[in-house]
Amino acid sequence: MQNRNGSVVIVSMILGLSLAAMAGGYIALVTQSMKHTQRTFYLNTAFNLAESGAEYAVWCMKNSWTLPSNAWTGDSTTRTYIGSVGSPIFTDSQGAKGFFKIRVTNADSSNPTVIAEGVVVSTTGSLITKQIRVRLSNGGIGWDGITNKEETALFGGFFGSYSSGEMHASSVTADSIRHEITIASTSLEIGDVSIGSAADINGYVAIAPSGDSSAAADFIDSIQGSIMGPDTAAGQPGVDQQGANLIDTNRIAYDFTQDFPDVTVPAVDGSTVVYTSLPAVNILGLIVVGDPDGVTTERYQLNSDVSIPNGTTLLIIGPVEFDVAQDFTVAGNGALVVLEGDLMVSKKVGSVTYLNEYTGAGEAKLYVKGDISISGNGSFNAPYKPAALQVYGTLTEAEYAAGARQNITIGGNGGLSAAVYAPNAATVMNGGGSSGYFAGAIVSRSTRVNGNGYKVLFDEDLQEITDPSSYTVSGWAELSTAADRYNFGG
């Protein structure tokens, strides 16, 4: 009996030791698994921090390296930032902290390279890091035709595209029209894009997403004009015929989004000469500005309204910037011309004929806070290349919210050939004349087009223009080997 009791005790001890060993092993396994899970979490966090660092670098590049921190060291060739905004970016419940480190080479060029490292300092003091390298290049401004924050109302007009490198906009006909213009709006209300009975779009339409499943069908039913490609024909899949109009639904997108940053007039650099008034009108009826050799940029900072009088031409023969605090108006037979090549001008005054030949490679940027108006037979750069004249509306979103307004108006036989970025302006094209047209591209808050047969032409060559304040990713890689990684130190 005693032997039997002793055997039970021994078996119980063996079972207890086995269970204890199993429990210890399980606890070790769970502990190891928790450590592995935590490390994986911190590795992902470090990677996210590295991406945040790269985005922070781009933000600083777009804001002169000063906001929200001026803690960059180095110069325009290489800049380095170690820390984080509100350093550290986070401290978790266990006390781990997160930072990033950034190095930017070719910092003030159009092709910078960013190396960003995300760093997580664990509670034990060990470092968990991830590094990425992002190669950047200046991106486009987003000119595709007509792009609006809000309303796009087309109650007339003939819309299409062309290439200014191949022909003048005034030479574009129904037979030579191309089909690459995009009419786009980021408005959440699908009904804010109105295509009236006289509006024929040789291109695409893009609007913002809608949660209403029937909105697309309702939108198509509301269209009274045409949306066509070069080969659109009745009976094709996706082509809806309404009377004589064809609506190619394959050319309508419902996923359009875009940011509309405010415009800031760039600072004057060392190669810019500043003037506070325009030169006088010469005997030929010209106001001539610009360095034809292209060495010097002329900046005209004009604090009052600017009006080009009837019969006067503002002739731009070199790189020029206009910073206009109020309105800019061209009326009557006034004109703004950006000269590319040679121009012979003659004018007879009494019995005397005056002649002069101008040569130049003009380019102009027009920054305007107030209204822009073209009326009568007035013209902005028509029929020359739109890329040579870039017009920027400087009214900000905050000023618009406070009640300020900016209007861009083209009326009568007025012509405009330019790339326009005015994200808080209302654009109205009243094509009442027989020869008025718009060529180029517009980004604005809203656009209304009135006038049967009024031509609105997107210049496809504008897609080649880059924006110094915009960047796109041209290359991306995670740096995983010691040979590839940059040693930030510290």
Side-chain angles (χ1 to χ4, degrees):
M1 187 68 177
Q2 291 179 349
N3 290 338
R4 183 180 298 173
N5 291 337
S7 298
V8 171
V9 171
I10 293 172
V11 170
S12 298
M13 290 177 62
I14 293 172
L15 288 173
L17 291 171
S18 299
L19 290 172
M22 291 173 63
Y26 178 75
I27 292 172
L29 179 63
V30 170
T31 302
Q32 186 64 30
S33 177
M34 289 178 61
K35 289 181 178 179
H36 177 75
T37 300
Q38 186 182 61
R39 180 171 179 81
T40 300
F41 173 76
Y42 286 151
L43 281 169
N44 290 334
T45 301
F47 185 84
N48 292 335
L49 287 169
E51 289 193 320
S52 297
E55 292 174 358
Y56 177 69
V58 172
W59 196 94
C60 289
M61 280 187 271
K62 295 172 67 173
N63 290 275
S64 303
W65 300 97
T66 56
L67 298 172
S69 170
N70 58 1
W72 291 90
T73 60
D75 53 27
S76 60
T77 301
T78 302
R79 298 181 189 270
T80 304
Y81 179 93
I82 296 178
S84 57
V85 182
S87 185
I89 286 181
F90 76 89
T91 300
D92 70 7
S93 60
Q94 298 182 25
K97 299 179 179 181
F99 304 84
F100 53 61
K101 305 177 181 181
I102 316 164
R103 184 173 187 262
V104 184
T105 55
N106 299 322
D108 289 348
S109 74
S110 60
N111 299 101
T113 297
V114 178
I115 294 179
E117 180 176 85
V119 182
V120 175
V121 184
S122 70
T123 53
T124 63
S126 62
L127 301 182
I128 299 170
T129 65
K130 284 281 189 178
Q131 271 193 18
I132 60 173
R133 180 181 61 225
V134 183
R135 291 191 173 94
L136 303 168
S137 59
N138 284 151
I141 296 178
W143 284 314
D144 287 314
I146 296 179
T147 306
N148 296 304
K149 281 184 180 180
E150 296 177 357
E151 181 190 48
T152 303
L154 312 179
F155 300 116
F158 179 71
F159 302 82
S161 66
Y162 79 114
S163 168
S164 61
E166 299 176 7
M167 66 175 67
H168 283 318
S170 57
S171 302
V172 177
T173 64
D175 293 330
S176 61
I177 196 76
R178 286 152 67 155
H179 298 72
E180 296 302 320
I181 191 172
T182 297
I183 310 298
S185 173
T186 59
S187 169
L188 296 178
E189 293 298 326
I190 202 167
D192 283 348
V193 181
S194 303
I195 302 175
S197 59
D200 291 320
I201 299 171
N202 297 279
Y204 301 88
V205 171
I207 53 181
S210 174
D212 183 356
S213 59
S214 63
D218 292 342
F219 172 60
I220 292 170
D221 289 341
S222 73
I223 297 172
Q224 300 176 44
S226 298
I227 302 174
M228 299 179 294
D231 302 315
T232 298
Q236 291 178 337
V239 175
D240 185 19
Q241 185 169 2
Q242 298 185 13
N245 296 324
L246 299 179
I247 301 170
D248 191 342
T249 62
N250 302 301
R251 287 180 161 253
I252 303 175
Y254 302 94
D255 57 354
F256 180 74
T257 60
Q258 182 169 317
D259 293 327
F260 296 85
D262 290 339
V263 175
T264 301
V265 180
V268 175
D269 61 28
S271 63
T272 302
V273 178
V274 177
Y275 301 94
T276 56
S277 62
L278 291 172
V281 181
N282 67 18
I283 192 66
L284 298 169
L286 303 176
I287 303 172
V288 183
V289 296
D291 174 10
D293 296 325
V295 176
T296 301
T297 298
E298 295 182 356
R299 168 74 66 84
Y300 290 87
Q301 293 182 338
L302 309 172
N303 293 322
S304 59
D305 292 341
V306 176
S307 179
I308 308 302
N310 180 32
T312 300
T313 296
L314 175 58
L315 182 64
I316 300 164
I317 61 175
V320 174
E321 297 174 352
F322 301 94
D323 181 6
V324 181
Q326 298 186 39
D327 299 343
F328 198 109
T329 302
V330 176
N333 289 306
L336 181 155
V337 173
V338 184
L339 180 63
E340 183 180 33
D342 301 323
L343 179 68
M344 177 66 75
V345 181
S346 66
K347 184 175 183 180
K348 188 173 182 179
V349 180
S351 61
V352 180
T353 298
Y354 295 89
L355 295 172
N356 203 347
E357 182 177 3
Y358 295 92
T359 300
E363 57 181 53
K365 294 183 178 181
L366 178 60
Y367 299 90
V368 181
K369 177 71 73 172
D371 294 341
I372 299 171
S373 176
I374 308 169
S375 60
N377 292 309
S379 66
F380 264 34
N381 199 40
Y384 300 100
K385 289 186 177 181
L389 176 60
Q390 297 176 29
V391 179
Y392 296 93
T394 58
L395 186 76
T396 66
E397 178 70 35
E399 290 169 331
Y400 182 89
R405 295 294 182 265
Q406 181 177 40
N407 300 294
I408 300 174
T409 306
I410 310 170
N413 286 314
L416 174 58
S417 179
V420 181
Y421 181 86
N424 296 298
T427 300
V428 178
M429 303 181 191
N430 291 314
S434 60
S435 59
Y437 65 88
F438 170 80
I442 284 185
V443 176
S444 61
R445 194 171 196 98
S446 64
T447 298
R448 295 179 67 88
V449 179
N450 304 309
N452 190 19
Y454 186 78
K455 286 195 297 188
V456 178
L457 303 173
F458 166 56
D459 179 10
E460 296 171 19
D461 294 353
L462 289 176
Q463 293 173 327
E464 300 175 5
I465 296 179
T466 59
D467 177 10
S469 65
S470 174
Y471 296 92
T472 59
V473 176
S474 56
W476 186 97
E478 181 180 350
L479 305 180
S480 55
T481 67
D484 291 336
R485 291 167 66 94
Y486 176 74
N487 183 11
F488 283 94

